[in-house]
Amino acid sequence: MKIVKYKHICIFSPILILLGETVYLSLQYYTPPSFRQPFKMRQEAEDTLRIAYIGDSWAYWHKDHECQIARLLEDTLHRPVKVHSYGICGRTSREIYENMFENSNFKEFLTKRRYEYCYVSAGINDTHKKMSIPYYQQSISHIIELMLTNNVHPMIQEIPDYDIKMIDDKQKFYKKFVRRLYMYFHDMPIDCKQLFRDALDDLIYEKGYQDHVSIIRYKAWNNDYLNDLNHLYWHDHLHLKENGYAKLDSAIAKGILTTYWRNNELPKESGACHHK
C-alpha cells in the first residue's frame, strides 16, 4: 500500500507543482504595475510642434498616417507639426507602461525628442484579456504622471468600440477559461468596455487631472459602430482602416487645438508637413 501511495505522490507532485506555478504566474500577470520613478524627456523648446502617438497596435499601425494629422493641425496653427508613432501590438496598459522603461527602443523614442502632446492608446487589450479595473486605472495613472512630470500633455483614448464578443469566441480554450475565472472574480461581463470608460472618468476626477489631461471620446469619431464598421474597420472588427484613422486623427486634432489655444495666444508662421 505504501508503495502505491508513493507512486501516486510521484505522479501527482509534478502536476501540482505545474498547476501552482501556472496560478502564480497568472496572478503576477494580472497584478497592477508598481510606480516607477519618471525618467527625463527632452525639454528644449523648438518651433516644430511634436506629438507622440504611443501604445498598442492602434499606435503601431498609425505610423502610416502621421502626416495626415500633421496637415490638419498645420492648416490651423500655421506652425510645423510632426507626429511620431510607436506602438507594440497586443500589449496591455501595464505592459505599455513597463515597456517605456524596459524597452530601449521605446524609451529612446520618448527621450530623443521634445513632445508637447502624447496620445495614448492603451486599454483595448485590457478589456479583451479581462484585466481588472484597478489594473487599468493604475497603469493609466502612472503613464499620465510620467507625461506630466515632463510637461507633456497626455491625451488618453477612451476605450473604442470593437467586436469584443467575436474576438472572445476565437480564443483558445485555456485562455478563455482563465479569462472566465477573472470575469467571475471581478464581476465583469464579456463586453466590459463601458466599465473601463467609466473607470477612466473616475480616475481623472479622483486624481484631479481635469485641467491637465484630455480624453478622446470614442463617440467623437465613431458615433455608430455597427453602421461605420465596414467603412472604418478591417475585417477583424478591431483595427482601423485608413478611413478610421482619418476620423480618429480629426478628433485628436480638435482635442489638441482646444488645449493649444488655451495655452497660446497667437499661431506662428506657417510650415510644411514633414513626415518622419
Side-chain angles (χ1 to χ4, degrees):
M1 291 293 294
K2 288 184 178 181
I3 295 176
V4 174
K5 288 181 179 179
Y6 287 140
K7 283 185 177 179
H8 287 167
I9 293 173
C10 291
I11 291 172
F12 287 107
S13 291
I15 296 175
L16 292 174
I17 292 172
L18 180 61
L19 180 61
E21 289 181 348
T22 301
V23 172
Y24 174 76
L25 292 174
S26 180
L27 289 173
Q28 289 290 101
Y29 184 71
Y30 280 82
T31 301
S34 300
F35 178 76
R36 303 190 182 197
Q37 190 63 32
F39 52 78
K40 292 295 183 181
M41 299 165 64
R42 294 190 66 170
Q43 300 294 315
E44 299 89 345
E46 58 176 295
D47 185 58
T48 299
L49 186 149
R50 296 184 185 274
I51 304 162
Y53 196 121
I54 66 171
D56 48 34
S57 57
W58 280 41
Y60 176 81
W61 292 110
H62 185 262
K63 64 183 184 294
D64 297 326
H65 307 276
E66 291 171 350
C67 207
Q68 184 168 257
I69 186 173
R71 288 194 192 97
L72 290 172
L73 291 168
E74 286 180 336
D75 289 344
T76 302
L77 298 178
H78 306 297
R79 176 182 176 186
V81 176
K82 277 191 176 182
V83 179
H84 307 272
S85 305
Y86 192 98
I88 307 177
C89 298
R91 295 298 190 267
T92 64
S93 57
R94 168 186 162 174
E95 291 170 328
I96 291 168
Y97 173 66
E98 292 178 341
N99 270 268
M100 292 178 172
F101 296 83
E102 298 170 2
N103 184 316
S104 58
N105 291 330
F106 197 175
K107 188 171 183 179
E108 182 186 7
F109 171 87
L110 292 169
T111 56
K112 72 179 180 180
R113 304 180 184 94
R114 164 70 177 110
Y115 297 111
E116 294 185 46
Y117 297 89
C118 182
Y119 182 79
V120 181
S121 174
I124 298 175
N125 290 300
D126 294 32
T127 60
H128 163 48
K129 297 180 179 181
K130 301 301 179 284
M131 317 311 283
S132 68
I133 293 299
Y135 178 106
Y136 171 70
Q137 288 181 315
Q138 203 159 306
S139 302
I140 295 298
S141 179
H142 293 344
I143 292 172
I144 289 174
E145 289 296 334
L146 173 61
M147 296 302 162
L148 293 181
T149 299
N150 285 283
N151 301 311
V152 180
H153 185 92
M155 309 189 72
I156 309 300
Q157 174 179 275
E158 187 178 53
I159 302 297
D161 262 336
Y162 73 96
D163 198 336
I164 192 170
K165 293 181 179 179
M166 184 188 81
I167 293 175
D168 181 77
D169 289 340
K170 292 182 178 181
Q171 293 304 298
K172 294 180 179 179
F173 172 79
Y174 169 73
K175 290 184 178 180
K176 188 176 291 189
F177 174 74
V178 171
R179 289 167 189 174
R180 288 298 183 277
L181 286 178
Y182 279 91
M183 285 168 57
Y184 174 77
F185 289 132
H186 298 145
D187 192 23
M188 185 179 295
I190 291 177
D191 189 350
C192 55
K193 298 190 295 291
Q194 190 58 46
L195 291 178
F196 280 74
R197 293 166 187 154
D198 294 340
L200 178 59
D201 285 338
D202 291 342
L203 171 69
I204 298 301
Y205 176 78
E206 291 170 4
K207 294 285 187 176
Y209 290 143
Q210 296 93 325
D211 296 330
H212 309 287
V213 177
S214 299
I215 298 178
I216 304 300
R217 304 292 183 183
Y218 78 99
K219 286 192 174 182
W221 61 275
N222 184 202
N223 191 45
D224 193 336
Y225 172 75
L226 292 179
N227 284 336
D228 292 340
L229 180 60
N230 294 328
H231 182 60
L232 303 182
Y233 289 77
W234 288 110
H235 58 81
D236 63 2
H237 296 189
L238 171 61
H239 295 99
L240 296 179
K241 293 180 179 179
E242 182 176 353
N243 291 333
Y245 276 116
K247 291 198 67 174
L248 174 59
D249 282 354
S250 178
I252 297 171
K254 289 178 181 178
I256 290 174
L257 289 173
T258 298
T259 60
Y260 185 90
W261 292 125
R262 188 171 63 203
N263 299 322
N264 297 272
E265 294 182 1
L266 294 171
K268 299 183 179 181
E269 295 181 1
S270 65
C273 179
H274 303 282
H275 204 47
K276 288 174 71 174

